[in-house]
Amino acid sequence: MSTPMPRADTIAAQAARAMRHSWFPVARSVDVTDVPVPAVLLGEKLAVFRGTDGLARVTANRCPHRGGSLGHGTVHGNNIACPYHGWQFSGESGACALVPSLPDQAKIPPRAAITTYPAQEQFGHIWTCLAEPEAPMYAPARWAGLELEWLAATPIPSDTGVAVAIENFRDVAHFPFVHQVSMGPTPPIVEPLQVRREGLDVYLDRPLDAGEGDWASQGDCTMHYQCTAPGFASITYDYADLGQRIVAGFPSPVAYDQVVIFWAVANEVGFRGDDLQECLRVEEMVYLEDIPIVGELDPREVPWDREVEEFSVPADLFTLSYRRSFRELMERVSARYAPEPVLANSGA
């Protein structure tokens, strides 16, 4: 069970607020059709659906009539309808478009409406943002000009916060202890890491020496890590003879300290190594090795308010740089936006 949202006077509350101004996935593209699917983001209950125009939409889940779940409703054109009494709401504006029991639709209660949220389709997923986005959708410069084919994986629930999930993704010091099966033997000593931070982005380039595990079965390459606060992490594997492939993780906070890890793999069109299904199989092995270990970390989210003591060593340089990028995001959001009012129809 997740813990309540942080107290308002804490740094953790600033982190939660920064996440409300950030993009997170709420569904895989393949799962979003003309049948709505429910989702939860930072405690806000949402409905995700695709209108007849083919565009994905994200709305509040609660019908303001009697509280029906729109995520279990039906789609009519680009409207979403409540399964209880059939009230329809525009997927764009949120305005009530139809009350079936009314003989005169001009008498629709003028304030009857639902909240709608932006929706972007990227990396095989539907993304949204609960408040005005502080930054545009993630777009790694390394991928510019690459023609990529994406395959979205089955999402993985994890009892961790977003920051802990991102830190685990790029932490290289845990490899010899958690990933003996997928990666084979790897040395515990971590070489000096060449980490650089540019605003919200943190980068690390590291050689991958092919070992005995499935993870490196395609031979040596250079791994280009990129994490972007708060919720984007990727590795671009650059093979001299095969081309480039990618694994990217997008932990999405259903609560402050609980995520669903949406993730995907991609191959450069023309990649001469393993196909997407095999790349996904190998990366999923790595993820599933992490989950039991990371899910027991205490606390479940980064101790922003120093509620517990932690000690760091040079192998944690990427982690510390990521935390600095997250703090920069908190400061940007605090400087630009007034606190959001609590929405009556949020369903939280």
Side-chain angles (χ1 to χ4, degrees), residues 281-300:
R281 183 192 71 82
V282 171
E283 299 292 352
E284 185 175 53
M285 188 186 320
V286 177
Y287 263 117
L288 295 182
E289 289 171 338
D290 282 319
I291 294 302
I293 305 296
V294 178
E296 294 295 330
L297 297 182
D298 181 22
R300 290 160 55 162

Side-chain angles (χ1 to χ4, degrees), residues 13-290:
Q14 296 178 32
R17 187 178 172 209
M19 288 193 286
R20 291 183 62 85
H21 288 269
S22 302
W23 293 96
F24 290 104
V26 287
R28 298 189 302 178
S29 292
V30 69
D31 295 328
V32 176
T33 65
D34 60 355
V35 177
V37 292
V40 179
L41 179 59
L42 286 168
E44 304 274 1
K45 295 181 180 179
L46 307 174
V48 188
F49 68 97
R50 199 178 295 279
T52 54
D53 60 2
L55 298 179
R57 292 175 171 80
V58 181
T59 73
N61 183 71
R62 181 181 182 276
C63 174
H65 173 221
R66 289 297 181 268
S69 170
L70 298 174
H72 294 87
T74 54
V75 172
H76 302 265
N78 296 324
N79 296 341
I80 187 168
C82 177
Y84 199 6
H85 298 95
W87 286 34
Q88 292 187 22
F89 301 88
S90 165
E92 287 93 19
S93 68
C96 185
L98 178 71
V99 176
S101 63
L102 269 180
D104 181 359
Q105 296 299 309
K107 295 183 177 178
I108 291 176
R111 293 176 54 240
I114 59 173
T115 301
T116 60
Y117 300 93
Q120 289 200 27
E121 203 154 359
Q122 189 70 281
F123 315 132
H125 292 79
I126 309 299
W127 298 65
T128 194
C129 190
L130 295 178
E132 184 177 351
E134 166 56 23
M137 175 59 66
Y138 304 104
R142 177 166 293 281
W143 300 349
L146 285 181
E147 187 177 359
L148 297 171
E149 182 182 7
W150 286 91
L151 177 61
T154 301
I156 303 172
S158 179
D159 289 332
T160 62
V162 165
V164 166
I166 291 291
E167 290 182 6
N168 170 71
F169 185 95
R170 42 86 279 138
D171 180 291
V172 299
H174 78 285
F175 290 176
F177 307 100
V178 178
H179 300 301
Q180 297 97 330
V181 174
S182 62
M183 298 183 185
T186 52
I189 295 177
V190 176
E191 79 281 6
L193 299 177
Q194 304 301 313
V195 177
R196 71 182 193 280
R197 182 170 80 89
E198 298 174 7
L200 305 184
D201 301 306
V202 186
Y203 303 93
L204 167 67
D205 296 334
R206 193 169 191 247
L208 171 63
D209 296 324
E212 299 177 8
D214 289 5
W215 193 55
S217 63
Q218 296 176 93
D220 297 348
C221 69
T222 300
M223 295 185 295
H224 304 285
Y225 286 80
Q226 179 177 349
C227 293
T228 306
F232 179 89
S234 67
I235 306 172
T236 302
Y237 298 84
D238 191 351
Y239 298 88
D241 299 328
L242 303 179
Q244 300 185 61
R245 72 175 182 89
I246 293 164
V247 58
F250 329 114
S252 183
V254 297
Y256 176 71
D257 58 358
Q258 188 176 17
V259 298
V260 172
I261 301 174
F262 292 97
W263 66 284
V265 295
N267 280 355
E268 180 181 12
V269 172
F271 182 66
R272 294 178 293 281
D274 292 336
D275 63 20
L276 279 173
Q277 289 290 349
E278 176 60 12
C279 292
L280 187 145
R281 183 192 71 82
V282 171
E283 299 292 352
E284 185 175 53
M285 188 186 320
V286 177
Y287 263 117
L288 295 182
E289 289 171 338
D290 282 319

